[in-house]
Amino acid sequence: MGDHSRHVIISADCHGGADLTQYRDYLAPAFVDDFDRWAAEFTVPYEDMKGPDASRNWDSSRRAAELESDGIVAEVIYPNTVPPFFPTSSLASSQDGVAGAADLARRWAGLRAHNRWLAEFCQDLPGRRAGVFQIMLHDVDAAIAEVRWAHEAGLTGGVLLPGAPPGAGVPPLYDRSYDGLWSVCEELGVPVNCHGGGAGPRTGDTPVDDMFFLLDLRWWDINRFRHLVLGGVLARHPGLKVVFTESGIGWIPRELRKLDRLFDSMRSTGTGGGIAYDAASAIDDLSLRPSEYWHRQCHAGATFVHPTEMAIRDAVGVDKILWGGDYPHLESTYPFSSEAVRTAFSGVPVADTERMLAGNAAEMYGFDLDRLRGVAERVGPTHDEVGAGLDPATLPPEAAGCPAFAGLVPGAAKVRMGDNRGSGK
């Protein structure tokens, strides 16, 4: 990536969306009257989308200025605001809670409106925003058509894969009915993004339900990985690229070891060990071990990565890790992203740091690093600053709200992430 003195930082995990009334202009005409009725009764459910900072989601100039002030020169934009006809953030809604065909049609129209708004929003800052577009899984042909439209429209952030938990009304992700979707993503080089919190069902809206939803998030994220690997999706589509974002990275080496042992034991043609499986195996058609599929096709969106996670970077794969800051969520690294980078990447070789902060994201999402360096030379932290790290005692108390600083400053246990009802997740 050159001998430049400052790091290019791409956040592979940011969030955005239109103000509620803005979506009206992007809806298909047949849904406008329904939108007016829905919007008249809708109340925004998230506190951080009601106050003066809500505009961070859609105010292009404010967003660009704040990210630059934080050392970030480009971003991958996942959804955040509530799209038309959804009760909550689409990221948190998964496929569950849909009452019937009419609701499905309205929600699909709402997601398509978001995608069209997002395409224009990314064009406001060419080359520095990669928008992640949305689909639903109830109509695979419609999803395939949306992938082709989004690719043509320049939404380079790839597709957000909805959850398909039990009760969602759609088949599990390893079902062959989705093969056409995987094929078009493979054909067009469209990344498939799995964002933390989007794979599992919600059991209700009480504080107890919220607690268990948070506790179960990681399990559902890992389960989605298992379905794609052991279910044969990655084997059938070797050119498919999958990114698991905001799920942490500490689970990855453990899960790969576990699945490799399971794989060796389950194969009916092998001796295996440790796990009994007394029938012809469902995984006999897999030519690679799970860890090999990970290293061939999978990546980790390492949102607010912690120094303890950097310690296992080689086991995950330095070429697999994409740093993210989670702007504008309450638990994001903003406005301490430079401090978060210095904390996590202290002592890490410059070449490895460059890959994880920018190179991997540029390859995945099509950013032009030469184009971004001009901005980075103005706002990015220097190689020396990042390599030297920082003294945690110099961090302000407000930094304790971000998991990147967990255990490093007083109050870090009181992570803002604990009130996810305020941040759309």
Side-chain angles (χ1 to χ4, degrees), residues 238-307:
L240 194 67
K241 300 298 183 184
V242 184
V243 186
F244 296 88
T245 293
E246 203 174 323
S247 298
I249 66 174
W251 62 272
I252 295 168
R254 296 192 302 270
E255 186 67 16
L256 296 183
R257 289 192 298 269
K258 175 182 176 180
L259 293 188
D260 279 354
R261 289 195 299 268
L262 178 70
F263 176 86
D264 293 342
S265 178
M266 287 178 63
R267 287 180 69 85
S268 60
T269 57
T271 57
I275 301 174
Y277 193 83
D278 297 324
S281 175
I283 62 173
D284 278 347
D285 290 337
L286 302 186
S287 60
L288 303 177
R289 303 175 88 207
S291 61
E292 294 174 307
Y293 286 112
W294 169 268
H295 289 291
R296 187 177 77 176
Q297 294 174 251
C298 299
H299 295 74
T303 307
F304 29 71
V305 67
H306 194 269

Side-chain angles (χ1 to χ4, degrees), residues 68-261:
E68 283 191 18
S69 72
D70 217 22
I72 297 170
V73 302
E75 59 172 332
V76 179
I77 305 177
Y78 286 87
N80 199 42
T81 58
V82 180
F85 310 116
F86 277 75
T88 60
S89 163
S90 55
L91 184 61
S93 296
S94 188
Q95 300 276 343
D96 56 318
V98 177
D103 271 346
L104 280 171
R106 282 190 287 265
R107 290 192 183 192
W108 179 230
L111 290 188
R112 295 178 77 236
H114 172 85
N115 294 343
R116 281 139 189 80
W117 171 86
L118 182 62
E120 290 191 7
F121 188 73
C122 290
Q123 290 165 7
D124 285 344
L125 205 62
R128 295 176 60 185
R129 290 174 177 158
V132 178
F133 64 93
Q134 300 181 79
I135 58 169
M136 296 180 74
L137 298 178
H138 70 288
D139 185 335
V140 175
D141 289 339
I144 290 171
E146 192 71 1
V147 171
R148 293 194 180 277
W149 172 86
H151 181 263
E152 186 68 24
L155 283 170
T156 59
V159 61
L160 178 62
L161 183 62
V170 294
L173 294 176
Y174 52 79
D175 191 271
R176 294 290 186 121
S177 63
Y178 299 126
D179 276 354
L181 175 62
W182 313 134
S183 291
V184 72
C185 291
E186 189 177 22
E187 170 198 341
L188 299 177
V190 171
V192 173
N193 299 287
C194 303
H195 193 285
R202 282 187 177 269
T203 54
D205 297 320
T206 70
V208 175
D209 291 310
D210 289 338
M211 176 183 67
F212 284 112
F213 178 73
L214 290 171
L215 289 173
D216 291 343
L217 286 183
R218 187 64 48 78
W219 187 92
W220 287 103
D221 294 338
I222 296 173
N223 195 51
R224 179 153 53 177
F225 169 68
R226 294 168 180 163
H227 281 200
L228 293 174
V229 175
L230 296 181
V233 174
L234 300 188
R236 297 194 298 272
H237 303 277
L240 194 67
K241 300 298 183 184
V242 184
V243 186
F244 296 88
T245 293
E246 203 174 323
S247 298
I249 66 174
W251 62 272
I252 295 168
R254 296 192 302 270
E255 186 67 16
L256 296 183
R257 289 192 298 269
K258 175 182 176 180
L259 293 188
D260 279 354
R261 289 195 299 268

Side-chain angles (χ1 to χ4, degrees), residues 356-370:
M356 292 182 279
L357 288 182
N360 295 332
E363 290 178 10
M364 180 64 65
Y365 299 111
F367 291 106
D368 184 338
L369 288 176
D370 289 334

